[in-house]
Amino acid sequence: ARVEQTPPDVSAFLGALGTQARDHVRTVRRAVHALHRRDHAKLAEARNVGSVDVLGMLDPPAQILAAAGRLPDFLFACVGGGSNSIGLFYEFLGDPGVKMVGVEAGGRGTTLGEHAARLAAAAGFSGARPGVLQGTYTYVLQNADGQIATTHSVSAGLDYPAIGPEHAWLADQGRAEYTAVSDDAAVDAARLLARVEGIIPALETAHALAGLVERAPKMTREQVVILNISGRGDKDMDILSRYL
């Protein structure tokens, strides 16, 4: 096996994808086996990745029926490329009473270059238009000339200018709702979960929790929510330590 180092001046996720694409072009005559845990690529790959994430969740509809006696009112999950969230959403697509909320990276502000929110235009986040990035037609953060914009997020896993095409379709159909929360809100949510539940979440997951915290005052105690805890935060301790 050969390990390729990603460029230091781009986000980890985008850099890894770009490095793989360049290697494929250089070695096009060889068989290439690439592993992605994101759903930004071809639809077939998106379905496969989503299926892997569903398996990791161990049948969420059955679990919530056993725990609460009914299906949830809301699903909350973070959305970078979108694999963890589409894995959860897919299981409830046929249940119109279940509202699906994807939470993107609001970063430092709503202007292009300060965030990584592709589907949160309703919340004031600018720059996303249909386009093609790394072989996928979806919503892409880009400038007026169609150049891919820089992005920012405290979470490396959400710091990406495009989004999985299945999420783009769900947004266009109005089946799922997409919003975004700031870096500070995500860090505060990570602190909250660690203090209350003893769980240190990944900064990606913390965005989903922050979205739920913002929505909670408008909800009733009787409503049932699934929050997807998609990753653990030991990998993010260096970043979190700068805030705490």
Side-chain angles (χ1 to χ4, degrees), residues 46-60:
R47 285 176 176 160
N48 288 336
V49 173
S51 297
V52 170
D53 280 301
V54 169
L55 289 173
M57 294 172 200
L58 299 176
D59 197 353

Side-chain angles (χ1 to χ4, degrees), residues 40-95:
H40 62 88
K42 300 183 292 298
L43 184 58
E45 181 179 323
R47 285 176 176 160
N48 288 336
V49 173
S51 297
V52 170
D53 280 301
V54 169
L55 289 173
M57 294 172 200
L58 299 176
D59 197 353
Q63 286 194 64
I64 198 65
L65 285 171
R70 66 181 182 90
L71 293 177
D73 297 288
F74 290 94
L75 310 175
F76 279 81
C78 65
V79 183
S83 61
N84 89 86
S85 45
I86 206 65
L88 176 62
F89 291 178
Y90 181 81
E91 291 294 286
F92 296 92
L93 284 177
D95 301 298

Side-chain angles (χ1 to χ4, degrees), residues 105-109 113-117 150-155 158-160 183 243:
R108 296 180 293 234
E114 295 296 303
H115 63 84
T150 58
T151 58
H152 166 78
S153 173
V154 70
S155 166
L158 304 186
D159 192 5
Y160 184 64
D183 287 349
Y243 283 81

Side-chain angles (χ1 to χ4, degrees), residues 79-194:
V79 183
S83 61
N84 89 86
S85 45
I86 206 65
L88 176 62
F89 291 178
Y90 181 81
E91 291 294 286
F92 296 92
L93 284 177
D95 301 298
V98 179
K99 298 178 181 179
M100 304 185 296
V101 182
V103 185
E104 299 184 283
R108 296 180 293 234
T110 58
T111 58
L112 188 63
E114 295 296 303
H115 63 84
R118 293 67 42 100
L119 298 177
F125 291 88
S126 62
R129 305 196 315 275
V132 176
L133 179 62
Q134 296 172 327
T136 302
Y137 181 71
T138 183
Y139 285 96
V140 181
L141 290 168
Q142 53 191 297
N143 66 20
D145 298 319
Q147 298 299 309
I148 305 304
T150 58
T151 58
H152 166 78
S153 173
V154 70
S155 166
L158 304 186
D159 192 5
Y160 184 64
I163 193 166
E166 288 186 321
H167 285 289
W169 181 81
L170 289 173
D172 285 347
Q173 296 297 312
R175 179 62 184 90
E177 172 191 347
Y178 295 87
T179 186
V181 299
S182 69
D183 287 349
D184 289 342
V187 171
D188 288 344
R191 182 190 295 115
L192 174 67
L193 189 62

